[in-house]
Amino acid sequence: MNKFAVLIFGLLVLGATTVVAQDVRYDFDKDKDFSKYKTYKWVPIKGADQPDELTAKQVMAAVDTDLATKGITKTDSDTADLYIGYQTAIGTEKQYTSYSSDWGYGGGWGRGWYGGGMGSSTTYGSTSTVYVGQLDVSIYDSAQKQLVWRGVATKTLDPKAKPEKKQKNIGKAVQKLLKNFPPKPKS
């Protein structure tokens, strides 16, 4: 394999690994004063994919904990300042991994000054399925019935993870997702 092909392959592998790393994105209504929101209520999102009951409890508990630290109180009242809903999705991606039997030294080691004739190398490859989970949290102004904030966290999942690890990952994802909620007031 020539050096240019190795460089291209390396960039492709690097690009593939960044796709499966955790990613958080959010957006919000820049015209809203988020400091006026003090209470929230959980609401279902019609037609949204929901996880199993255990995962649902873990997601809601993680959001409840994070918002409580920010002084936003959960209520069951329809007069809550905010309505919060969420949905989840799990998808799969193919990951390609390869390695070479080549020593990896540059020019001069296999040929030329130090080496003898032409060397040979073999590249091996395999594919595997990677599970990717997505959590979408949507926050609505209850009085205006308008979406005011939305965040999405995407992360690779280990389908064989123990319950403790799964719960820890949900907590980390929610914490990272809500890091910028509520948005800072305009200067």
Side-chain angles (χ1 to χ4, degrees):
M1 213 191 280
N2 66 29
K3 289 181 184 179
F4 181 71
V6 170
L7 176 65
I8 295 298
F9 183 75
L11 290 173
L12 288 172
V13 169
L14 180 63
T17 57
T18 58
V19 169
V20 296
Q22 185 175 15
D23 179 40
V24 171
R25 291 169 279 132
Y26 70 97
D27 196 10
F28 62 95
D29 186 340
K30 283 114 180 110
D31 297 327
K32 294 292 180 187
D33 177 10
F34 284 84
S35 66
K36 71 178 185 175
Y37 300 128
K38 302 295 182 197
T39 60
Y40 71 96
K41 177 183 178 177
W42 283 102
V43 294
I45 296 177
K46 290 183 183 180
D49 287 337
Q50 296 296 316
D52 60 83
E53 281 186 57
L54 295 174
T55 303
K57 284 181 183 180
Q58 291 170 344
V59 167
M60 292 171 71
V63 171
D64 291 344
T65 300
D66 192 84
L67 292 180
T69 64
K70 297 173 182 187
I72 303 172
T73 307
K74 179 179 153 185
T75 181
D76 291 328
S77 172
D78 288 336
T79 61
D81 300 326
L82 297 169
Y83 289 156
I84 300 180
Y86 74 95
Q87 54 188 320
T88 60
I90 296 178
T92 59
E93 295 178 358
K94 291 292 182 187
Q95 180 177 9
Y96 182 73
T97 307
S98 71
Y99 62 95
S100 175
S101 65
D102 192 0
W103 284 79
Y105 292 102
W109 283 95
R111 298 174 231 152
W113 292 350
Y114 307 108
M118 302 284 276
S120 67
S121 69
T122 305
T123 301
Y124 301 94
S126 65
T127 59
S128 60
T129 300
V130 176
Y131 293 91
V132 180
Q134 185 171 352
L135 172 64
D136 175 315
V137 175
S138 298
I139 302 178
Y140 300 86
D141 181 307
S142 64
Q144 302 288 316
K145 303 210 182 327
Q146 292 177 336
L147 181 66
V148 294
W149 191 93
R150 180 172 184 254
V152 178
T154 305
K155 182 171 176 27
T156 57
L157 304 175
D158 178 3
K160 297 175 186 171
K162 294 183 178 183
E164 300 83 22
K165 179 73 171 171
K166 181 179 156 189
Q167 186 168 3
K168 183 178 176 183
N169 285 339
I170 289 171
K172 281 183 177 180
V174 167
Q175 188 175 28
K176 190 171 179 182
L177 180 63
L178 295 177
K179 178 182 176 185
N180 295 303
F181 181 85
K184 305 290 183 246
K186 291 186 259 184
S187 308

